[in-house]
Amino acid sequence: MAITPVWRDPALPVPVRVRALMSEMTLPEKVAQLGSSWPHDTPGTDGVVSQVAPLEAAMTSGVPYETDAAVGLGHITRVYGTAPVTPAAGGERLRRFQEFLTRETRLGIPAIAHEECLTGVTTLGATVYPAPIAWGAAFDPGLVERLGAAIGRDLRALGVHQGLAPLLDVVRDYRWGRVEETCGEDPYLVGALGAAYVRGLQSQGIIATLKHFAGYSASRAGRNHAPVSMGPREFADVILPSFETAVREGGARSVMNSYSDIDGQPAATNGWLLTECLRENWGFRGTVVSDYGSVAFVHSMHKVAADLGDAARLTLTAGLDVELPAAVAYPRLTALVERGEVPVALVDRALERVLTQKAELGLLDAGWAPAPTPVDLDSAANRALAAELAEQSVILLANPRGLLPVRPDARLTVIGPVADDPHCLFGCYSYPNHVLLRQGDATLGVDAESLLGAARRVFGDVAYVPGCEVATDDGTGIPAAVAAAAGAGIVLLTVGDRAGLFGHGTCGEGCDAQTLALPGVQGALVEAVLATGTPVILLVVSGRPYALGAYAGRAAAIVQAFMPGEEGAGAVMRVLTGAVNPSGKLPVGIPSAIGGQPTTYLAPPLGLASQGISNVNPGPLYPFGYGLSYTSFELGDFAVDRDDLPVDGEVGVSVTVRNTGARAGAEVVQLYLGDEVAQVTRPVKQLLGFAKVRLDPGQSARVRFRVHADRTAFTGRDPATRLVEPGWIALSVGTSSEDVLLGRRIEIVGEVRDVTRGRVLTTPVTVDWLAEVDV
């Protein structure tokens, strides 16, 4: 009778099981656990061939799955989301791949299956939720946590163990194509929403993966994979805090390195970043996985490694545990260890982390078997959640004439290239745009209404003229659009983006912008339609902010929707007609001019308006945190509960928000910090906390923030030290970063305090609803 190995016993502590398994493994078996296989590139194994990205040859092994997996495997890459396969077919492929490992390898250890899941499970027929930039606009961590849990449930049913999301990148340049994958330009907002998504996803037993650690969003000129020119203080105070929050507050169990090189050092080889900062300072205990191909890129693109073996040595030493999407460089570790060029202890360090997660996932248990289960990936509950998030994210930017909300009996004409294409509602990493369009398949795989379809459902048989395409320079359709606008009662003018990959979109990965002008000839279309004098509702559906200064004073209303997903058209129409009161706030600023940007609100004095020293004003047309409503709100009774703040103490800040209008709505109360004098330049203002408060007409609520002194910390003259410095600060509340209405100066007292490790990261907030008052 066969004896069950110790490491198969789930009753034993995980460390005991992992050490027992490691003691039984040969060196090649150990190294195999640090790699993955991407079976899509092997015709004959599964019949599927697909080209996903440039430089893909550097990311794949080029051998059959059975060869990759001969002595074991750490991960299986994207069975569901690489090429058009049904969930049932993908599940069957995954079952076969896992059974090969459990039956045909000596130790029988299953692999961790991972998949993209940023806007929902990246597979055919799965709900396409709003893109993360819309999460930022919603300003609602609880809603994002529910989103993460819903996605996690679907991944679990498919037999997937690890999701490659969320992004914790903080926007620094609006021209960067992946702005739509971020939650915005403020590290506190990004960290709060990213941690919420992590908690939701991991509540379902799925490992969340933080991307891209770190600096990726600050690439030079907003160009994908460009170097990052950034000093250590900005890196520490703007780029890292969102990741730290998702690790320490969200409990993230995996981190993916950035492709970037920062001041000449690739993130993949940066031991300070991947080990000292992440593990020693923040207490991270999970796995670091490579962004696809980034280990090989250390040799082929960054040119800091002599060959693939050298790249494997440098990245493993720095703290990168698993090479994705396929084992191209890490298999060379076996020979390097045997020659004494790499200590086996480094292999064991990474191996222990991988096997610990496998034990926690149940993959080492006796009797484990792959069992994907049938699931409705686009259920009514999923769609309701997608609709709720889309509704909460729509932003009313301007309504000077009170044209909105529009009555359903209005004589509406729809113009613009975004109106009749549901793909324009989806982010780059949605399955329809990420996979189907790349295959030349314009179908969606889900039931998604276009904006035009939603308008006709609400307003009847409205006329429609596209005027132009999203990205081309063909303006021959503009005269027809002008004629239609001239005869209309109201024009709904729809402009914006169509997300894609590597130049096949106007935003998305590898789809960077040279300026912040609307793509193609959409700007000319807007100018021509506005010139007719017909009232125009300018609806921008995009993945990045575009310069709207030329149109702001002439449009009757302006509405911004950031990639609102498959329920986005209906959500937008409900906002336009008043069935939903808009409550979205800008997670990024909207620039005025196409070239006076890019900048973000989080800047020191010289980064903002310079009092005539420069003729270029980088200030936004609409600032971070801004958004209007169909009702009105009033802030009052601002209070701070002490006159000074000890360097290790906390202060209470409270304010009353009241709905002074005639209908229910929601306001985002925002708390900002200003540091009057510091040893290094500091942002003029930065977000300390926020609360989205829903109020009936006449109702008030008391919003209370608890601000620890650690929340004022910054990186001082010594770039390795974060400190709380005594001195005067300003605490203020408002409804955007520019509409700061109430505030007070207080003094931080005591000696300079080092908070490099373990500082308080969050600002707790409570809301107490008060009695309703007649209005």
Side-chain angles (χ1 to χ4, degrees), residues 56-99:
E56 189 170 316
M59 304 180 191
T60 56
S61 63
V63 301
Y65 171 79
E66 293 79 5
T67 303
D68 271 339
V71 295
L73 200 60
H75 277 239
I76 296 174
T77 294
R78 302 202 61 191
V79 171
Y80 291 96
T82 295
V85 294
T86 65
E92 176 58 23
R93 294 177 68 214
L94 180 57
R95 185 191 62 77
R96 293 200 319 269
F97 295 150
Q98 295 283 35
E99 285 187 347

Side-chain angles (χ1 to χ4, degrees), residues 411-421 450-457 459-467 480-482 484-485 488-495 525 529 537 539 573 576:
R411 191 162 53 89
L412 189 73
T413 294
V414 178
I415 294 173
V418 169
D420 200 25
D421 186 356
S450 69
L451 288 163
L452 177 61
R456 285 176 170 165
R457 176 171 48 78
F459 292 99
D461 190 19
V462 301
Y464 171 61
V465 179
V482 169
I490 298 172
V491 169
L492 176 60
L493 180 53
T494 64
V495 296
L525 174 66
V529 172
I537 303 166
L539 172 61
M573 216 52 58
L576 294 181

Side-chain angles (χ1 to χ4, degrees), residues 341-631:
E341 297 176 24
V342 170
V344 71
L346 290 180
V347 172
D348 286 345
R349 181 181 70 175
L351 175 65
E352 184 174 11
R353 296 164 182 167
V354 173
L355 295 181
T356 294
Q357 290 194 334
K358 289 193 174 187
E360 291 168 345
L361 291 165
L363 297 179
L364 302 187
D365 294 356
W368 181 91
T373 57
V375 62
D376 183 355
L377 294 175
D378 196 27
S379 66
N382 282 7
R383 296 189 72 100
L385 180 58
E388 181 181 358
L389 182 51
E391 290 171 354
Q392 295 295 316
S393 69
V394 177
I395 307 162
L396 177 61
L397 296 178
N399 192 26
R401 308 179 200 176
L403 180 64
L404 296 178
V406 179
R407 292 171 54 90
D409 59 357
R411 191 162 53 89
L412 189 73
T413 294
V414 178
I415 294 173
V418 169
D420 200 25
D421 186 356
H423 288 94
C424 294
L425 306 173
F426 302 157
C428 168
Y429 269 76
S430 67
Y431 190 82
N433 289 357
H434 193 73
V435 177
L436 294 179
L437 281 181
R438 196 182 68 245
Q439 300 290 326
D441 185 347
T443 62
L444 302 175
V446 291
D447 181 14
E449 191 175 34
S450 69
L451 288 163
L452 177 61
R456 285 176 170 165
R457 176 171 48 78
V458 173
F459 292 99
D461 190 19
V462 301
Y464 171 61
V465 179
C468 65
E469 297 180 355
V470 170
T472 70
D473 292 330
D474 182 2
T476 56
I478 293 178
V482 169
I490 298 172
V491 169
L492 176 60
L493 180 53
T494 64
V495 296
D497 282 318
R498 194 189 204 210
L501 280 170
F502 304 111
H504 296 288
T506 56
C507 70
E509 184 173 3
C511 297
D512 310 312
Q514 295 188 42
T515 76
L516 295 174
L518 289 166
V521 294
Q522 292 183 72
L525 174 66
V526 175
E527 289 284 359
V529 172
L530 288 173
T532 66
T534 301
V536 171
I537 303 166
L538 181 59
L539 172 61
V540 184
V541 182
S542 65
R544 68 163 61 84
Y546 285 106
L548 303 180
Y551 323 127
R554 298 150 63 198
I558 304 177
V559 175
Q560 173 72 55
F562 286 115
M563 299 292 177
E566 68 180 38
E567 289 286 339
V572 167
M573 216 52 58
R574 287 189 288 277
V575 169
L576 294 181
T577 59
V580 169
N581 194 350
S583 63
K585 297 283 187 172
L586 286 172
V588 289
I590 299 289
S592 179
I594 66 172
Q597 300 285 1
T599 188
T600 73
Y601 95 97
L602 199 66
L606 295 187
L608 302 177
S610 54
Q611 302 179 36
I613 296 171
S614 169
N615 64 312
V616 175
N617 180 0
L621 175 64
Y622 302 112
F624 171 84
Y626 173 86
L628 302 177
S629 171
Y630 295 147
T631 190

